[in-house]
Amino acid sequence: ADKLWELLEKNIIQKATSPKDSFNSQECSNIVWSFAKEFGGRRKQQSSRGTKISTCPNYNPNLLFDAMLKELTPKLHLFNSQDIANTVWAYATANYPAPALFNAIIPLVSENLHKFDSQNLANTVWAYATLRHSAPQLLDAVAA
């Protein structure tokens, strides 16, 4: 299974960095969510034990998350509430701070708060708290 993830990662990075190929907003959020779901828990568990970060010898989460940042950031205005929640959840679960991404998302959430269900809102706030990303505008909007 790990070999399959490595191959998938390679193909995603290749497509995400290609000038002629691209992913839509849902594909972007699904990709980062999938990799965070598969490897985020492993990384946290193993790093707390002091062992190597991934059981995939050739898996480097920075490559995928960097490539996807470049792919998804220009499309943020197309993200719906679930895309936003899944994306920030993924970066937090992978323990991958992305300050520019998180800063860009704050006004999107604040302006579209009425479109967030309780689960998406909870996941979004959790992600900001987990990465200790300051977001007073977001928290004020949620509290209002």
Side-chain angles (χ1 to χ4, degrees):
D2 287 345
K3 282 288 189 193
L4 180 61
W5 281 101
E6 288 175 27
L7 181 60
L8 185 59
E9 176 196 40
K10 180 182 175 186
N11 287 326
I12 288 169
I13 291 169
Q14 186 176 18
K15 183 174 179 178
T17 57
S18 169
K20 62 181 178 183
D21 291 328
S22 70
F23 297 106
N24 67 37
S25 59
Q26 185 177 6
E27 290 168 337
C28 288
S29 69
N30 288 349
I31 288 166
V32 294
W33 181 90
S34 297
F35 275 81
K37 179 83 171 149
E38 178 64 20
F39 296 104
R42 285 194 213 180
R43 292 180 73 222
K44 288 178 183 175
Q45 183 180 32
Q46 291 171 344
S47 64
S48 69
R49 291 187 202 146
T51 59
K52 71 179 193 167
I53 294 297
S54 176
T55 58
C56 282
N58 297 319
Y59 175 66
N60 180 349
N62 295 350
L63 296 176
L64 179 111
F65 283 95
D66 280 345
M68 291 310 298
L69 265 178
K70 292 174 185 153
E71 177 75 14
L72 64 84
T73 301
K75 299 174 182 160
L76 286 175
H77 67 284
L78 301 172
F79 278 43
N80 63 32
S81 59
Q82 186 171 1
D83 295 337
I84 290 170
N86 287 351
T87 299
V88 294
W89 178 92
Y91 277 84
T93 298
N95 195 24
Y96 190 97
L101 172 68
F102 276 61
N103 287 338
I105 286 176
I106 292 169
L108 295 174
V109 175
S110 299
E111 294 163 10
N112 295 291
L113 200 57
H114 62 283
K115 297 178 182 176
F116 280 72
D117 65 20
S118 58
Q119 183 67 58
N120 291 335
L121 188 56
N123 287 351
T124 301
V125 171
W126 174 88
Y128 279 82
T130 297
L131 290 178
R132 292 178 167 73
H133 188 95
S134 179
Q137 179 186 357
L138 173 66
L139 297 178
D140 288 346
V142 171

